[in-house]
Amino acid sequence: MRVFRLHVNGDPVEVAAPEHWTLLEVLRYQLGLTGSKQGCDKGDCGACTVLVDGTPTLSCLSLAATVEDQQITTIEGLLPAHRAAGGEGADPLQESFDESGALQCGFCQPGMILSAKALLAENPDPSAAEIKESLAGNLCRCTGYTQIYEAVLAAAKADMHAAISTDSAKEVQS
Amino acid sequence: MAARDQHGAEAPWDQGFRVVGKENRKVDGLSKATGEAIYTDDIQLPGMLHAKMLRSPHPHARVLSVDTSKAEALPGVVGVLVGAELPVRYGVIPWTPDETALAVDKVRFIGDEVAAVAAVDEDTANEALDLIEVEYEVLDAILDPEQALVTPEPPIHEDRKRRDNISKHVELEFGDVAAQVEDADVVIEGDYTFHSTTHAAIEPHCAVAQPNSDGRITLWSSTQITHYVHRALARVLELDPARIRVIQPCLGGGFGGKSDPFSLEFVVAQLALKTGRPVKMLWTREEVFYAHRGRHPMKMHYRTTAKADGTITGVDAKLLIDGGSYSSFGLVTTYYSGQLLTGPYAFPNYRFDSTRVFTNRPPNGPKRGHGSVQPRFAFEIQLDEVAEQLSIDPIEIRRRNFLGEHTETVNGQRVTSNGFMQCLEEVEKASDWRERRGKLPFGRGLGVAGSMYISGTNYPVYPNKMPQAGVQLKIDRSGLVTVFTGGNDIGQGSNSMVAYLVAEELGIKVEHVKVVAADTDLCPVDLGAYSSRVTFMVGNAAIDGARKLRKQIVEAVAKNWEVEPRDVRLMDGTVVDLSAEARSMTHVEAFHLAEEMFDTLGSTGAYNTPTLGGDYRGGTIGSSPAYSFTAHVADVEVDTETGRITVNKVWVAHDCGRALNPMIVRGQMEGSTYMGAAEVSLESHHLNRFGLHAGPSLLDYRIPTSVDTPELEALIVESIDPEGPFGAKEAGEGPLHSTIPAIANAVFDAVGIRLRHLPFTPAKVLAALRAKEEQA
Amino acid sequence: MLRLPKFEVKNPATAEEAVAMILEIEGDARFIAGGTDLNPNMKHGLFAPERVIALNGIGELQGIRLDEDGSMRIGAMATLAEVTKHAELNQFYPALCQAAKLVSGPQLRNMGTLGGNVMLDTRCQWYNQTYFWRKSLGYCMKKDGSKCHVVEGGSKCVAAASNDTAPALMTLNAELEFVTTEGRARLPIADLWQADGIWNKKLPHTALLVAIHLPKPAANSHGAYGKLRDRGSVDFPLFGIAARLNFGSDGTIEDAALCAVALQARPWPLKKAASLLIGTHPGKDDFNDAVEKVANLAAKQCRPMPNIPGDHEYRHLMVPVFTRRTLHAAASDEGPVHHV
Ligand SMILES: Cc1cc2nc3c(=O)[nH]c(=O)nc-3n(C[C@H](O)[C@H](O)[C@H](O)COP(=O)(O)OP(=O)(O)OC[C@H]3O[C@@H](n4cnc5c(N)ncnc54)[C@H](O)[C@@H]3O)c2cc1C
Ligand code: SF4
Ligand code: FES
Ligand code: FES
């Protein structure tokens, strides 16, 4: 057992777990954050994707002992962060995945949404090809990916609108 | 109970559909997007033990002894289980119970389950597995279906009536196929191979059992058929089914791979009873590959005869089906392999001779498009060859042979609505077929194929006359309607579909409907998510139940307002008076009036199929209350230097009767087409020379990533079925079928080679190209 | 879930400390960088160290920088994603960036390091499998057994070097900086390998790779990487080939290097073949003719074996195709050669 000092979804957490456990195990079975899924447990599927310092990372291949100083974001963190920033509902990406019908069984989707989240943070206006490439490590067996692309594009557009309207709001204010 | 007679395909209120046909959100979408949804492995119970399975390293062996004493002595091990403790046989088809939870006398493939351990954690359970000593007598293994056919000894299953390795044989002839050969203008004859592929749902199988102090037991399982698991558990555990509760939590994909009762379900239940503690077993991805129940590999021989105008006069098929080590759904598979080919084209003469054999391979079962994807692949290529020989456009030849609607197939299946002609038209238009087919530069081509599939089957897996689908509705004074259904939402969206239908029928908003599903203690029986039956059957049952309530609500309001019931209309949660007076109330107020008048409000709804099917043995297998129809056009490119086939785009047109939610229907069409395209050249469930799965992982079993998936365009066709729920039929399996032959036919258009043996690996493509060059 | 062995994790702050930690216990200990190779391997029971030493806290292993002599220093812990995105690397060492970009999928490139890629364990379809799987088979020579299933009766393990960046680094004459108990040393990457699939490096696993140094590029250096795989993402190479071409001021090829991977235990330099290109003129017939000869020679020198998944005869057929395409891509700066 080792006490891990993690930073999960903005919270500092101390959690005891066997030293050889992966981040995925600690998140799911010790912290109860079961939104991160396991489909292969060895790097092949992307279901366990979380953000480590904003970067999509496979939690099944990360030792909990090697991410202690970093900021971990799981799927459970998006909605509260969105609310904390004054938003309504869920994160715009989560909303657009729902609106586009991209969520079938949903098992790949926490990982998928986090990969998309990182993409949009880096590139708010991605092309279809860029979306495809950035999701190429997240296997989905249900959708054929099409509605997932639609969801990401829609979210990017909504974000742009939001950005434009806040910009213009700022302009109006100043 | 013939609920189907009551509905009709029209909107229940005169204002047209308010919910159906709209792109509503799914009832569980946000819970999945936020990580809130609970899947089986997300369940953690206090004091829960973790169980692991010991598996056979031999493809075929007698189990002489299993010594678990050392494992039991390991600190942290709480329970150990061997086959002798659960000797009762089961099988999803009641006529062929040939499985046991753990091996009793024999193991039949590498990965077959032998013993199980429950311990305080997974590490300890694994350690204990290594301490179990099993003595095997290794037997000859049969890995090849051809060999199985001619090798009766050793029988893989010993105590059947037949002493051979034939699992099922079906031979049926309608008309006289042999007589057609002489008169035919064209005879196309050839061999085709469909290889082994698997479901690879991203969620691995998992089960959790909790023993209750009153002697009851609860099982959460990643199953797509709660009801059959419930029945099988009662049988194997020899428990009163009333003491067993089976719950399907959110399911991470099924595609047929979670349709059988699986050993882990019995094992965790028994270990829970034995230890008095909750027990979980989560299979690794490797174990999921061994559990398999994937698409049956088939070796197929087809002969099609046709007239000079392209009319098909006869189809003669002989199929060898590799069943793997157990029966699973094999009886049905064997029938389906022949019975489901008889549309969307009419042919007056048809024969099939299908033999399913046992081999020492992981058991095969139902994968999306159960039993009929393989024959469809072979036949649609033959049809293309007929067209080629007669210089008829491939779409045109399909039109000429159209079966028609409200008709009967050659094997006596009743067909109601049929939108196949429009499917052809849609893909023809969208792909710019007339301008492009046969006119693209060498290396690029277009191909077409069509297909038909069932919307549920009237053959219940165990014979009974009770409804095939049932729902129960409860109305709360808050205005919330709760629908209880045994139907399994496996990601296809059936819970949403139930909510839409009930909301439509009652004239309330979708958010006022809550669906409780797949819990045997709470929900009336439904036979589960297979054979594309849920929308049709549960949908009809839901309308049936809601309609009964609607009558009460309307009556209560009419009485209160002193108007005729026909003047009361519910819409989006508001009740309005259509007679002169302009007044209204909320649906909640209406519910209260109804409760005053009728006491506590609730209803049941049910569905059963009409009597269907041909009047011969097996004539009901494959008979469905309605059939869906599909056409695909694929646009491919072949790199003649590497042999790689790139599928640029696939257009899929599918007749789903009525799209209850077009967004969900498109998702099913795209997902199906993706899965079919994946089977063409990437995926192969391949055993090595030792009989061991060559690469049981999501790395070596290559399911397409985003960059490997063709562009997909879904074109919905609505034929409005007279018996479907508001006219709907299935959309979850049909749109897979013709993807594969459409790609095969496009490869022919691109480079002039006929590929007949899946998978179309680049190596095979190169070899075919070379052979063609040599011929020229 | 798959289980990792029970180990302790150490988090050293310096390279020397890390090396001390790996040597101070009697049992097995391993360095872990991104963990994308070691973790799956440990989950398969291929390694069962008692101690794992995390390298992510060691400052000098981080970062990519241009040194004063014009060479490039890539810290061993630089991720493949960092390499892929680095502007100067893309400009001067395109084959390396293309190879890095074609490793696996996005998340694995975010995690996987260049050092880990160089030090990657060899791969084989009979070896990269679970404990149960290998046990069912009676194991093999590389781990726990005595037989080879690739070359039946063979006495040497021929598991394949499968690291995409290795051939690129070979063509670039990279130098590897290691810390061992003996101190610090630099080794040309060509001298790292040995033809043994069980351990294909001449240094033991206790040697710590600190940085990869790329010599200052020639003025007009071009390169490309070609990769054969089934899917457009995630998959390891079924065959990989890196090319470097240095053009003289008149556009003549003055120097050329070629190296292949995913064949046998070590990356496979094709020196003789590459030399045929010298003196030819890209864009002209002499170059095209030479490329054909190089492709044919490569096909003779590269003999894929049934060690990694896939049809090895087909992989062999692809050797000349990928060699040719990669050379043309290098000459015209149109790499990588990959099907998507
Ligand atoms: C699904 C999947 C697909 C993959 N596809 C590819 C692919 O296409 N191409 C490819 O090349 N690789 C592939 N990989 C392998 C791997 O992701 C990459 O090779 C990656 O670069 C390895 O780096 P790492 O930092 O994660 O290594 P680690 O796993 O941390 O280490 C790998 C080995 O190197 C040793 N090591 C690491 N760093 C050092 C150091 N500084 N000094 C000494 N020893 C060290 C470790 O002890 C270990 O033995 C794939 C992996 C997975 C899981
Ligand atoms: S080549 Fe493969 S089978 Fe042979 S010893 Fe090496 S790892 Fe084992
Ligand atoms: S569970 Fe981590 S990649 Fe599959
Ligand atoms: S939605 Fe089911 S795997 Fe992606």
Side-chain angles (χ1 to χ4, degrees), chain A residues 28-29 37 39 95 99 104-105 132 141 145 147, chain B residues 25 32 39 41-42 199 285 663 683 704 706:
Chain A
R28 284 180 57 76
Y29 306 126
K37 299 301 181 206
E95 296 283 351
E99 277 179 354
Q104 289 195 24
C105 82
K132 239 183 183 190
R141 196 55 168 163
Y145 303 103
Q147 290 179 329
Chain B
R25 290 186 180 211
K32 288 173 175 174
Y39 298 72
D41 184 42
D42 300 342
H199 322 81
R285 177 54 58 183
M663 178 178 85
E683 295 180 15
S706 53

PDB file of all heavy atoms in Angstrom, chain A residues 28-29 37 39 95 99 104-105 132 141 145 147, chain B residues 25 32 39 41-42 199 285 663 683 704 706:
ATOM      1  N   ARG A  28     -11.114   4.089 -10.502  1.00  0.00           N
ATOM      2  CA  ARG A  28     -12.371   3.337 -10.535  1.00  0.00           C
ATOM      3  C   ARG A  28     -12.704   2.683  -9.196  1.00  0.00           C
ATOM      4  O   ARG A  28     -13.829   2.765  -8.716  1.00  0.00           O
ATOM      5  CB  ARG A  28     -12.317   2.240 -11.608  1.00  0.00           C
ATOM      6  CG  ARG A  28     -12.471   2.742 -13.032  1.00  0.00           C
ATOM      7  CD  ARG A  28     -12.407   1.595 -14.034  1.00  0.00           C
ATOM      8  NE  ARG A  28     -13.411   0.575 -13.771  1.00  0.00           N
ATOM      9  CZ  ARG A  28     -14.697   0.689 -14.052  1.00  0.00           C
ATOM     10  NH1 ARG A  28     -15.142   1.777 -14.620  1.00  0.00           N
ATOM     11  NH2 ARG A  28     -15.530  -0.286 -13.759  1.00  0.00           N
ATOM     12  N   TYR A  29     -11.717   2.008  -8.655  1.00  0.00           N
ATOM     13  CA  TYR A  29     -12.040   1.130  -7.526  1.00  0.00           C
ATOM     14  C   TYR A  29     -11.695   1.730  -6.172  1.00  0.00           C
ATOM     15  O   TYR A  29     -12.125   1.239  -5.157  1.00  0.00           O
ATOM     16  CB  TYR A  29     -11.350  -0.228  -7.711  1.00  0.00           C
ATOM     17  CG  TYR A  29     -11.676  -0.863  -9.049  1.00  0.00           C
ATOM     18  CD1 TYR A  29     -10.690  -1.278  -9.916  1.00  0.00           C
ATOM     19  CD2 TYR A  29     -13.010  -1.009  -9.451  1.00  0.00           C
ATOM     20  CE1 TYR A  29     -11.004  -1.841 -11.147  1.00  0.00           C
ATOM     21  CE2 TYR A  29     -13.335  -1.566 -10.670  1.00  0.00           C
ATOM     22  CZ  TYR A  29     -12.330  -1.981 -11.528  1.00  0.00           C
ATOM     23  OH  TYR A  29     -12.639  -2.523 -12.740  1.00  0.00           O
ATOM     24  N   LYS A  37     -13.498   4.060 -18.342  1.00  0.00           N
ATOM     25  CA  LYS A  37     -13.837   2.660 -18.611  1.00  0.00           C
ATOM     26  C   LYS A  37     -12.606   1.833 -18.939  1.00  0.00           C
ATOM     27  O   LYS A  37     -11.543   2.366 -19.265  1.00  0.00           O
ATOM     28  CB  LYS A  37     -14.835   2.575 -19.770  1.00  0.00           C
ATOM     29  CG  LYS A  37     -16.149   3.299 -19.490  1.00  0.00           C
ATOM     30  CD  LYS A  37     -16.834   2.731 -18.258  1.00  0.00           C
ATOM     31  CE  LYS A  37     -18.154   3.419 -17.973  1.00  0.00           C
ATOM     32  NZ  LYS A  37     -18.512   3.359 -16.548  1.00  0.00           N
ATOM     33  N   GLY A  39     -11.519  -1.343 -21.454  1.00  0.00           N
ATOM     34  CA  GLY A  39     -11.944  -2.233 -22.522  1.00  0.00           C
ATOM     35  C   GLY A  39     -10.883  -3.244 -22.906  1.00  0.00           C
ATOM     36  O   GLY A  39     -11.159  -4.187 -23.637  1.00  0.00           O
ATOM     37  N   GLU A  95     -23.019  17.804 -24.163  1.00  0.00           N
ATOM     38  CA  GLU A  95     -24.342  18.121 -24.719  1.00  0.00           C
ATOM     39  C   GLU A  95     -24.390  17.777 -26.213  1.00  0.00           C
ATOM     40  O   GLU A  95     -25.361  17.210 -26.700  1.00  0.00           O
ATOM     41  CB  GLU A  95     -24.663  19.612 -24.531  1.00  0.00           C
ATOM     42  CG  GLU A  95     -24.793  20.056 -23.084  1.00  0.00           C
ATOM     43  CD  GLU A  95     -26.124  19.671 -22.435  1.00  0.00           C
ATOM     44  OE1 GLU A  95     -27.030  19.203 -23.155  1.00  0.00           O
ATOM     45  OE2 GLU A  95     -26.235  19.829 -21.198  1.00  0.00           O
ATOM     46  N   GLU A  99     -26.799  15.368 -28.259  1.00  0.00           N
ATOM     47  CA  GLU A  99     -27.685  15.885 -29.314  1.00  0.00           C
ATOM     48  C   GLU A  99     -27.434  15.237 -30.666  1.00  0.00           C
ATOM     49  O   GLU A  99     -28.328  15.188 -31.509  1.00  0.00           O
ATOM     50  CB  GLU A  99     -27.495  17.402 -29.453  1.00  0.00           C
ATOM     51  CG  GLU A  99     -28.300  18.168 -28.446  1.00  0.00           C
ATOM     52  CD  GLU A  99     -28.096  19.660 -28.572  1.00  0.00           C
ATOM     53  OE1 GLU A  99     -27.247  20.086 -29.378  1.00  0.00           O
ATOM     54  OE2 GLU A  99     -28.794  20.396 -27.849  1.00  0.00           O
ATOM     55  N   GLN A 104     -24.154   5.657 -28.200  1.00  0.00           N
ATOM     56  CA  GLN A 104     -24.953   4.424 -28.286  1.00  0.00           C
ATOM     57  C   GLN A 104     -24.773   3.660 -26.986  1.00  0.00           C
ATOM     58  O   GLN A 104     -25.406   3.985 -25.999  1.00  0.00           O
ATOM     59  CB  GLN A 104     -24.588   3.645 -29.538  1.00  0.00           C
ATOM     60  CG  GLN A 104     -25.090   4.362 -30.808  1.00  0.00           C
ATOM     61  CD  GLN A 104     -25.083   3.466 -32.033  1.00  0.00           C
ATOM     62  OE1 GLN A 104     -25.137   2.246 -31.967  1.00  0.00           O
ATOM     63  NE2 GLN A 104     -25.035   4.077 -33.204  1.00  0.00           N
ATOM     64  N   CYS A 105     -23.879   2.664 -26.962  1.00  0.00           N
ATOM     65  CA  CYS A 105     -23.708   1.993 -25.665  1.00  0.00           C
ATOM     66  C   CYS A 105     -23.008   2.903 -24.680  1.00  0.00           C
ATOM     67  O   CYS A 105     -23.103   2.737 -23.482  1.00  0.00           O
ATOM     68  CB  CYS A 105     -22.972   0.676 -25.830  1.00  0.00           C
ATOM     69  SG  CYS A 105     -21.175   0.834 -25.926  1.00  0.00           S
ATOM     70  N   LYS A 132     -10.814  13.332 -37.055  1.00  0.00           N
ATOM     71  CA  LYS A 132     -10.607  11.914 -37.285  1.00  0.00           C
ATOM     72  C   LYS A 132      -9.288  11.457 -36.683  1.00  0.00           C
ATOM     73  O   LYS A 132      -9.209  10.459 -35.988  1.00  0.00           O
ATOM     74  CB  LYS A 132     -10.528  11.677 -38.800  1.00  0.00           C
ATOM     75  CG  LYS A 132     -11.547  10.726 -39.338  1.00  0.00           C
ATOM     76  CD  LYS A 132     -11.316  10.531 -40.822  1.00  0.00           C
ATOM     77  CE  LYS A 132     -12.402   9.638 -41.352  1.00  0.00           C
ATOM     78  NZ  LYS A 132     -12.201   9.187 -42.697  1.00  0.00           N
ATOM     79  N   ARG A 141     -17.224   0.779 -31.108  1.00  0.00           N
ATOM     80  CA  ARG A 141     -17.731  -0.380 -31.828  1.00  0.00           C
ATOM     81  C   ARG A 141     -19.172  -0.172 -32.271  1.00  0.00           C
ATOM     82  O   ARG A 141     -19.708  -1.001 -32.987  1.00  0.00           O
ATOM     83  CB  ARG A 141     -17.634  -1.589 -30.907  1.00  0.00           C
ATOM     84  CG  ARG A 141     -17.758  -2.939 -31.570  1.00  0.00           C
ATOM     85  CD  ARG A 141     -16.765  -3.143 -32.685  1.00  0.00           C
ATOM     86  NE  ARG A 141     -16.702  -4.527 -33.114  1.00  0.00           N
ATOM     87  CZ  ARG A 141     -16.170  -4.923 -34.267  1.00  0.00           C
ATOM     88  NH1 ARG A 141     -15.641  -4.035 -35.096  1.00  0.00           N
ATOM     89  NH2 ARG A 141     -16.144  -6.196 -34.595  1.00  0.00           N
ATOM     90  N   TYR A 145     -18.454   5.987 -35.988  1.00  0.00           N
ATOM     91  CA  TYR A 145     -17.774   7.276 -35.770  1.00  0.00           C
ATOM     92  C   TYR A 145     -18.472   8.494 -36.373  1.00  0.00           C
ATOM     93  O   TYR A 145     -18.188   9.629 -35.972  1.00  0.00           O
ATOM     94  CB  TYR A 145     -16.314   7.256 -36.281  1.00  0.00           C
ATOM     95  CG  TYR A 145     -15.461   6.159 -35.661  1.00  0.00           C
ATOM     96  CD1 TYR A 145     -15.159   4.998 -36.351  1.00  0.00           C
ATOM     97  CD2 TYR A 145     -14.967   6.301 -34.364  1.00  0.00           C
ATOM     98  CE1 TYR A 145     -14.387   3.992 -35.780  1.00  0.00           C
ATOM     99  CE2 TYR A 145     -14.194   5.299 -33.776  1.00  0.00           C
ATOM    100  CZ  TYR A 145     -13.897   4.152 -34.506  1.00  0.00           C
ATOM    101  OH  TYR A 145     -13.135   3.160 -33.946  1.00  0.00           O
ATOM    102  N   GLN A 147     -21.435   9.987 -36.273  1.00  0.00           N
ATOM    103  CA  GLN A 147     -22.141  10.920 -35.391  1.00  0.00           C
ATOM    104  C   GLN A 147     -21.201  11.520 -34.338  1.00  0.00           C
ATOM    105  O   GLN A 147     -21.464  12.600 -33.812  1.00  0.00           O
ATOM    106  CB  GLN A 147     -23.348  10.237 -34.756  1.00  0.00           C
ATOM    107  CG  GLN A 147     -24.427   9.976 -35.832  1.00  0.00           C
ATOM    108  CD  GLN A 147     -25.666   9.265 -35.311  1.00  0.00           C
ATOM    109  OE1 GLN A 147     -25.577   8.468 -34.387  1.00  0.00           O
ATOM    110  NE2 GLN A 147     -26.814   9.519 -35.912  1.00  0.00           N
TER     111      GLN A 147
ATOM    112  N   ARG B  25     -33.421  13.652 -28.055  1.00  0.00           N
ATOM    113  CA  ARG B  25     -32.283  13.086 -27.332  1.00  0.00           C
ATOM    114  C   ARG B  25     -32.667  11.735 -26.757  1.00  0.00           C
ATOM    115  O   ARG B  25     -33.839  11.432 -26.575  1.00  0.00           O
ATOM    116  CB  ARG B  25     -31.889  14.005 -26.179  1.00  0.00           C
ATOM    117  CG  ARG B  25     -31.259  15.307 -26.627  1.00  0.00           C
ATOM    118  CD  ARG B  25     -30.780  16.039 -25.401  1.00  0.00           C
ATOM    119  NE  ARG B  25     -30.161  17.306 -25.735  1.00  0.00           N
ATOM    120  CZ  ARG B  25     -29.173  17.835 -25.015  1.00  0.00           C
ATOM    121  NH1 ARG B  25     -28.702  17.204 -23.956  1.00  0.00           N
ATOM    122  NH2 ARG B  25     -28.659  18.991 -25.346  1.00  0.00           N
ATOM    123  N   LYS B  32     -24.622   8.873 -19.906  1.00  0.00           N
ATOM    124  CA  LYS B  32     -23.452   8.198 -20.476  1.00  0.00           C
ATOM    125  C   LYS B  32     -22.339   9.203 -20.780  1.00  0.00           C
ATOM    126  O   LYS B  32     -21.166   8.891 -20.646  1.00  0.00           O
ATOM    127  CB  LYS B  32     -23.841   7.463 -21.755  1.00  0.00           C
ATOM    128  CG  LYS B  32     -24.677   6.214 -21.481  1.00  0.00           C
ATOM    129  CD  LYS B  32     -25.204   5.601 -22.753  1.00  0.00           C
ATOM    130  CE  LYS B  32     -25.921   4.303 -22.471  1.00  0.00           C
ATOM    131  NZ  LYS B  32     -26.557   3.751 -23.672  1.00  0.00           N
ATOM    132  N   TYR B  39     -22.367   0.761 -15.348  1.00  0.00           N
ATOM    133  CA  TYR B  39     -22.213  -0.508 -16.064  1.00  0.00           C
ATOM    134  C   TYR B  39     -21.853  -1.579 -15.026  1.00  0.00           C
ATOM    135  O   TYR B  39     -21.533  -1.241 -13.876  1.00  0.00           O
ATOM    136  CB  TYR B  39     -21.107  -0.389 -17.122  1.00  0.00           C
ATOM    137  CG  TYR B  39     -21.396   0.637 -18.192  1.00  0.00           C
ATOM    138  CD1 TYR B  39     -21.334   1.996 -17.899  1.00  0.00           C
ATOM    139  CD2 TYR B  39     -21.742   0.266 -19.476  1.00  0.00           C
ATOM    140  CE1 TYR B  39     -21.610   2.948 -18.870  1.00  0.00           C
ATOM    141  CE2 TYR B  39     -22.015   1.217 -20.467  1.00  0.00           C
ATOM    142  CZ  TYR B  39     -21.950   2.558 -20.149  1.00  0.00           C
ATOM    143  OH  TYR B  39     -22.222   3.498 -21.113  1.00  0.00           O
ATOM    144  N   ASP B  41     -19.352  -3.524 -14.290  1.00  0.00           N
ATOM    145  CA  ASP B  41     -18.095  -3.475 -13.538  1.00  0.00           C
ATOM    146  C   ASP B  41     -18.000  -2.229 -12.654  1.00  0.00           C
ATOM    147  O   ASP B  41     -17.083  -2.099 -11.851  1.00  0.00           O
ATOM    148  CB  ASP B  41     -16.892  -3.544 -14.500  1.00  0.00           C
ATOM    149  CG  ASP B  41     -15.570  -3.593 -13.754  1.00  0.00           C
ATOM    150  OD1 ASP B  41     -15.496  -4.327 -12.746  1.00  0.00           O
ATOM    151  OD2 ASP B  41     -14.619  -2.896 -14.152  1.00  0.00           O
ATOM    152  N   ASP B  42     -18.928  -1.315 -12.795  1.00  0.00           N
ATOM    153  CA  ASP B  42     -18.910  -0.125 -11.937  1.00  0.00           C
ATOM    154  C   ASP B  42     -19.524  -0.419 -10.567  1.00  0.00           C
ATOM    155  O   ASP B  42     -19.474   0.421  -9.666  1.00  0.00           O
ATOM    156  CB  ASP B  42     -19.677   1.035 -12.599  1.00  0.00           C
ATOM    157  CG  ASP B  42     -19.071   1.416 -13.945  1.00  0.00           C
ATOM    158  OD1 ASP B  42     -17.911   1.041 -14.204  1.00  0.00           O
ATOM    159  OD2 ASP B  42     -19.765   2.066 -14.754  1.00  0.00           O
ATOM    160  N   HIS B 199     -17.650 -10.093 -32.097  1.00  0.00           N
ATOM    161  CA  HIS B 199     -18.392  -8.860 -31.813  1.00  0.00           C
ATOM    162  C   HIS B 199     -17.495  -7.725 -31.345  1.00  0.00           C
ATOM    163  O   HIS B 199     -17.654  -6.593 -31.762  1.00  0.00           O
ATOM    164  CB  HIS B 199     -19.439  -9.112 -30.739  1.00  0.00           C
ATOM    165  CG  HIS B 199     -20.108 -10.449 -30.866  1.00  0.00           C
ATOM    166  ND1 HIS B 199     -19.537 -11.608 -30.394  1.00  0.00           N
ATOM    167  CD2 HIS B 199     -21.255 -10.826 -31.442  1.00  0.00           C
ATOM    168  CE1 HIS B 199     -20.315 -12.632 -30.671  1.00  0.00           C
ATOM    169  NE2 HIS B 199     -21.372 -12.192 -31.319  1.00  0.00           N
ATOM    170  N   ARG B 285     -10.036  -9.017 -21.703  1.00  0.00           N
ATOM    171  CA  ARG B 285     -10.327  -8.999 -23.142  1.00  0.00           C
ATOM    172  C   ARG B 285     -10.023 -10.354 -23.769  1.00  0.00           C
ATOM    173  O   ARG B 285     -10.769 -10.847 -24.613  1.00  0.00           O
ATOM    174  CB  ARG B 285      -9.502  -7.894 -23.800  1.00  0.00           C
ATOM    175  CG  ARG B 285      -9.630  -7.790 -25.288  1.00  0.00           C
ATOM    176  CD  ARG B 285     -11.057  -7.659 -25.775  1.00  0.00           C
ATOM    177  NE  ARG B 285     -11.754  -6.516 -25.222  1.00  0.00           N
ATOM    178  CZ  ARG B 285     -13.034  -6.247 -25.479  1.00  0.00           C
ATOM    179  NH1 ARG B 285     -13.759  -7.009 -26.276  1.00  0.00           N
ATOM    180  NH2 ARG B 285     -13.608  -5.196 -24.914  1.00  0.00           N
ATOM    181  N   MET B 663     -32.361  10.042 -36.009  1.00  0.00           N
ATOM    182  CA  MET B 663     -30.981  10.128 -35.559  1.00  0.00           C
ATOM    183  C   MET B 663     -30.492   8.767 -35.051  1.00  0.00           C
ATOM    184  O   MET B 663     -29.385   8.321 -35.362  1.00  0.00           O
ATOM    185  CB  MET B 663     -30.919  11.172 -34.434  1.00  0.00           C
ATOM    186  CG  MET B 663     -29.601  11.374 -33.800  1.00  0.00           C
ATOM    187  SD  MET B 663     -29.739  12.678 -32.548  1.00  0.00           S
ATOM    188  CE  MET B 663     -30.315  11.726 -31.137  1.00  0.00           C
ATOM    189  N   GLU B 683     -10.787  -7.676 -40.022  1.00  0.00           N
ATOM    190  CA  GLU B 683     -11.008  -8.521 -38.853  1.00  0.00           C
ATOM    191  C   GLU B 683     -10.952 -10.003 -39.163  1.00  0.00           C
ATOM    192  O   GLU B 683     -11.513 -10.455 -40.159  1.00  0.00           O
ATOM    193  CB  GLU B 683     -12.373  -8.189 -38.230  1.00  0.00           C
ATOM    194  CG  GLU B 683     -12.413  -6.782 -37.672  1.00  0.00           C
ATOM    195  CD  GLU B 683     -13.749  -6.411 -37.056  1.00  0.00           C
ATOM    196  OE1 GLU B 683     -14.565  -7.326 -36.792  1.00  0.00           O
ATOM    197  OE2 GLU B 683     -13.977  -5.217 -36.851  1.00  0.00           O
ATOM    198  N   PRO B 704     -11.701  -1.484 -36.760  1.00  0.00           N
ATOM    199  CA  PRO B 704     -11.304  -0.221 -37.387  1.00  0.00           C
ATOM    200  C   PRO B 704     -11.258   0.950 -36.409  1.00  0.00           C
ATOM    201  O   PRO B 704     -12.136   1.092 -35.560  1.00  0.00           O
ATOM    202  CB  PRO B 704     -12.406   0.023 -38.422  1.00  0.00           C
ATOM    203  CG  PRO B 704     -13.065  -1.285 -38.620  1.00  0.00           C
ATOM    204  CD  PRO B 704     -12.926  -2.032 -37.334  1.00  0.00           C
ATOM    205  N   SER B 706     -10.986   5.276 -36.217  1.00  0.00           N
ATOM    206  CA  SER B 706     -11.664   6.321 -36.989  1.00  0.00           C
ATOM    207  C   SER B 706     -11.066   6.450 -38.391  1.00  0.00           C
ATOM    208  O   SER B 706     -11.799   6.614 -39.369  1.00  0.00           O
ATOM    209  CB  SER B 706     -11.584   7.651 -36.246  1.00  0.00           C
ATOM    210  OG  SER B 706     -10.244   7.947 -35.919  1.00  0.00           O
TER     211      SER B 706
END
